[in-house]
């Protein structure tokens, strides 16, 4: 496999360099349609040919000094084969039971085949909540790092037998693969599917569909008829793969869509051969550059809702400033404080953020804001919200004026501004759900749209793009003090 066209990382971070010792990290996600096939009578069976070819590709990558993390679906399908079921269960308990029965069969199959090429494997059963908690997030990364150091191939699967909320959508394994790629700072994420490329339309129903070789901005794609999986034993489809690709690329990870029946295409894409599959080009978000692991963690968080922002809010996000409540237009979902949401401008996701208030309190405050909107019969504008959002509190200003130098008693520190903002918030929202003036700190916002990143570069062209944003967030100040 030639190295001439290999996509090289700009610079390996110190932590990752100590783990990989110069090699690249590839995350490969395979689904049920790759692992199972029909026999001559139409009955399902393990696709040993596909699995063996995949393992040979992984062995070739390991010989070159690269490292591979395999994210594998298929536990429920394997459980159905093991117990002789002709159809996939539809009820939750049945799916959990099949996952519990099939996971051991799936791992035994992997153990036996990897042993043939002298590779050892290890199983990690995780759920998306392992990414939600930062301590658990770090624990997963530490485990994978150590396995890579030991030369072991980690095999990651969702803990389907226990993760009840997720069994209704196995397409989440695509997202989990992208989360894993962001977590370990991978070079490539490969998503196996049943077609050679991403197409302009569904090639199974539209003969005029043309292959797409390179995607520079996932958000700009306009594809008709994104199909769900046609597999009897799996769920998910092309739409979930595009979501996974969008997460990976803004974490600086190249993403390849390849045909799972021809895993050798993985090597072609790594070597720069466009015939290998569709290549989603990596575009590392400036907020990941600035915030490091914290930014990657935000990208890996499961989304709990969507928040639409106006032009002023979008401009604040581009400049790396805090997002203010006055710039919020609508909120949807069921998110609670400190959960991740998608920030949407003009109908398109532009960033992800940790929100400080709940969806219910935001919706309630938006309704009250609309009800309290003053009449504009005289053509006058009410600047109350603008003055409050500027953070200018008269009493605090007077206190500051009494100080004479940095460190004086009345200094307006970030913590002081935060306390004043919360005090003002309590006064403004007494008797109602809490909504902060600053609904998302700058350091808790990560750009995800390539278009938004390009605009941010233009807006901030006179400054260092690696130092976007400023925030009075206590968490951000604590992280910086530990660096």
């Amino acid at each position: 496999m030639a190295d001439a066209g290999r996509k090289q990382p700009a610079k390996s971070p110190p932590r990752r360099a100590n783990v990989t010792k110069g090699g690249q990290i590839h995350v490969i996600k395979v689904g049920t349609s790759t692992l199972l096939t029909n026999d001559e009578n139409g009955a399902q069976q393990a696709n040993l040919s596909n699995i063996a070819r995949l393992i040979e590709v992984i062995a070739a990558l390991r010989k070159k000094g690269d490292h591979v993390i395999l994210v594998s679906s298929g536990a429920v399908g394997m459980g159905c084969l093991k117990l002789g079921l002709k159809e996939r269960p539809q009820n939750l308990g049945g799916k959990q039971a099949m996952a519990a029965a099939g996971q051991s069969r799936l791992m035994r199959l992997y153990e036996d085949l990897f042993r043939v090429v002298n590779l050892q494997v290890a199983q990690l059963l995780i759920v998306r909540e392992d990414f939600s908690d930062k301590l658990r997030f770090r624990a997963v990364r530490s485990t994978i790092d150590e396995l890579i150091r030991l030369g072991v191939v980690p095999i990651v699967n969702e803990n389907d037998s226990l993760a009840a909320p997720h069994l209704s959508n196995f397409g989440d394994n695509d997202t989990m693969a992208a989360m894993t790629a962001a977590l370990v700072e991978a070079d490539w994420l490969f998503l196996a599917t049943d077609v050679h490329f991403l197409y302009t339309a569904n090639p199974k129903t539209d003969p005029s569909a043309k292959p797409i070789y390179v995607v520079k901005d996932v958000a700009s794609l306009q594809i008709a008829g994104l199909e769900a999986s046609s597999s009897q034993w799996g769920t998910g489809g092309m739409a979930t793969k595009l979501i996974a690709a969008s997460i990976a690329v803004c974490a600086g990870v190249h993403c390849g869509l390849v045909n799972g029946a021809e895993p050798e295409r993985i090597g072609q894409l790594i070597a720069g051969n466009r015939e290998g599959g569709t290549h989603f080009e990596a575009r590392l978000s400036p907020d990941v550059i600035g915030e490091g692991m914290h930014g990657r963690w935000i990208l890996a968080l499961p989304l709990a809702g969507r928040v639409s922002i106006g032009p002023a809010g979008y401009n604040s996000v581009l400049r790396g400033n805090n997002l203010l409540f006055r710039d919020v237009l609508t909120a949807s979902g069921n998110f609670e404080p400190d959960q991740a949401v998608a920030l949407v401008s003009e109908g398109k996701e532009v960033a992800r953020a940790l929100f400080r208030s709940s969806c219910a309190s935001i919706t309630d405050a938006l309704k009250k804001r609309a009800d309290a909107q003053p009449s504009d019969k005289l053509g006058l504008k009410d600047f109350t919200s603008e003055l409050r959002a500027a953070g200018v509190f008269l009493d605090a200003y007077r206190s500051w004026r009494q100080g004479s130098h940095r460190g004086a008693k009345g200094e307006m520190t970030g913590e002081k501004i935060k306390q004043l903002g919360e005090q003002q918030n309590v006064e403004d929202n007494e008797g109602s759900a809490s909504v902060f003036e600053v609904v998302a700190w700058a350091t808790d916002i990560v750009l995800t749209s390539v278009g938004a990143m390009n605009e941010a570069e233009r807006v901030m062209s006179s400054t260092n793009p690696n130092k976007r944003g400023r925030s009075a967030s206590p968490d951000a100040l604590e992280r910086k003090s530990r660096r």
Side-chain angles (χ1 to χ4, degrees):
M1 194 182 300
D3 286 344
R6 277 169 66 98
K7 297 288 182 182
Q8 298 293 339
K11 184 179 180 182
S12 293
R15 181 203 65 82
R16 212 201 75 160
N18 292 334
V19 173
T20 64
K21 302 190 183 305
Q24 294 190 0
I25 298 178
H26 310 298
V27 176
I28 302 175
K29 189 269 176 182
V30 293
T32 305
S33 62
T34 300
L35 301 175
L36 298 179
T37 187
N38 293 324
D39 62 17
E40 61 276 8
N41 298 319
Q44 291 282 318
Q45 64 180 18
N47 193 333
L48 295 178
S49 174
N50 270 10
I51 300 172
R53 291 169 67 183
L54 172 66
I55 291 173
E56 288 180 349
V57 169
I58 294 174
L61 292 171
R62 288 293 297 120
K63 287 180 180 178
K64 291 174 54 179
D66 289 352
H67 305 273
V68 176
I69 299 166
L70 182 61
V71 178
S72 175
S73 301
V76 173
M78 284 291 182
C80 292
L81 293 183
K82 180 178 179 178
L83 300 182
L85 271 67
K86 295 182 179 180
E87 294 183 357
R88 176 189 173 96
Q90 298 303 311
N91 65 306
L92 180 60
K95 295 174 185 177
Q96 290 177 314
M98 291 307 102
Q103 188 61 40
S104 59
R105 172 69 65 88
L106 182 62
M107 279 306 300
R108 178 176 177 180
L109 183 61
Y110 280 133
E111 286 269 10
D112 292 343
L113 293 177
F114 271 102
R115 189 181 299 118
V116 175
V117 293
N118 297 316
L119 288 177
Q120 298 298 323
V121 298
Q123 175 181 249
L124 283 83
L125 292 178
I126 58 180
V127 293
R128 293 183 72 179
E129 282 72 16
D130 290 321
F131 293 90
S132 301
D133 182 272
K134 190 173 285 188
L135 291 178
R136 291 164 69 178
F137 179 86
R138 287 174 173 167
V140 172
R141 185 173 72 168
S142 296
T143 300
I144 293 176
D145 284 352
E146 191 59 31
L147 290 172
I148 289 176
R149 288 191 189 97
L150 294 171
V152 176
V153 176
I155 299 179
V156 180
N157 194 0
E158 190 171 13
N159 193 353
D160 296 331
S161 60
L162 298 178
H166 309 296
L167 279 172
S168 61
N169 184 4
F170 277 89
D172 277 358
N173 262 358
D174 291 320
T175 306
M176 178 172 289
M179 292 174 172
T180 303
L183 170 77
V184 300
E185 302 170 33
D187 297 283
W188 278 93
L189 165 67
F190 294 99
L191 302 173
T193 183
D194 57 358
V195 291
H196 291 321
F197 298 94
L198 177 67
Y199 292 86
T200 54
N202 188 339
K204 297 177 181 178
T205 58
D206 187 348
S208 67
K210 297 180 180 179
I212 300 174
Y213 292 97
V214 178
V215 176
K216 295 183 180 295
D217 185 1
V218 180
S220 67
L221 288 174
Q222 294 183 349
I223 301 174
L226 288 178
E227 76 282 1
S229 171
S230 58
S231 169
Q232 177 186 7
W233 304 97
T235 62
M238 194 61 72
T240 65
K241 289 172 174 55
L242 295 184
I243 294 172
S246 67
I247 295 172
V249 296
C250 60
V253 181
H254 294 284
C255 182
L257 189 72
V258 298
N259 192 327
E262 302 177 20
E264 296 80 9
R265 288 173 172 266
I266 291 173
Q268 294 176 13
L269 272 182
I270 294 173
N273 183 348
R274 76 172 196 159
E275 295 299 327
T278 298
H279 175 197
F280 298 84
E281 291 187 347
R283 178 64 186 275
L284 183 61
S285 172
D287 301 304
V288 174
I289 296 174
E291 292 301 317
M293 198 275 282
H294 182 69
R296 293 179 181 277
W297 175 60
I298 291 175
L299 289 177
L301 288 172
L303 289 178
R306 290 165 64 90
V307 173
S308 178
I309 57 178
Y314 179 52
N315 190 54
S316 293
V317 171
L318 294 182
R319 291 181 176 276
N321 294 335
N322 297 332
L323 181 64
L324 307 176
F325 170 69
R326 64 169 182 168
D327 296 322
V328 173
L329 302 180
T330 62
S332 61
N334 193 29
F335 57 88
E336 296 296 329
D338 297 323
Q339 287 192 314
V341 302
L343 297 183
V344 178
S345 175
E346 297 183 350
K348 294 183 178 180
E349 178 184 323
V350 295
R352 295 191 175 192
L354 288 180
F355 236 59
R356 303 182 67 213
S357 300
S358 69
C359 183
S361 61
I362 289 287
T363 302
D364 183 57
L366 287 172
K367 184 177 183 302
K368 289 183 178 180
R369 185 176 71 182
D371 293 341
Q373 192 68 28
S375 173
D376 196 23
K377 294 180 180 179
L378 299 178
L380 302 177
K381 182 177 180 180
D382 179 12
F383 285 95
T384 303
S385 62
E386 282 82 352
L387 290 173
R388 285 179 177 172
V392 180
F393 304 103
L394 183 58
D395 291 341
Y397 177 73
R398 289 171 177 165
S399 174
W400 171 74
R401 291 292 293 174
Q402 294 173 3
S404 58
H405 55 80
R406 181 173 176 78
K409 183 176 180 180
E411 181 188 358
M412 287 289 286
T413 62
E415 182 63 25
K416 179 66 174 176
I417 293 173
K418 173 177 179 292
Q419 292 172 356
L420 289 168
E422 293 178 350
Q423 178 182 345
Q424 184 69 38
N425 169 70
V426 171
E427 294 170 356
D428 291 345
N429 296 280
E430 186 172 359
S432 64
S434 175
V435 175
F436 297 105
E437 286 289 349
V438 177
V439 291
W441 299 114
T443 47
D444 290 338
I445 301 173
V446 178
L447 290 175
T448 56
S449 162
V450 172
M453 294 179 204
N454 291 336
E455 286 193 57
E457 284 186 358
R458 289 193 291 269
V459 170
M460 305 297 291
S461 59
S462 60
T463 64
N464 184 348
N466 288 348
K467 294 184 178 179
R468 291 180 69 254
R470 50 180 172 76
S471 174
S473 167
D475 290 342
L477 297 174
E478 182 181 351
R479 288 197 303 274
K480 290 180 179 178
S481 70
R482 292 198 300 261
R483 290 177 183 174

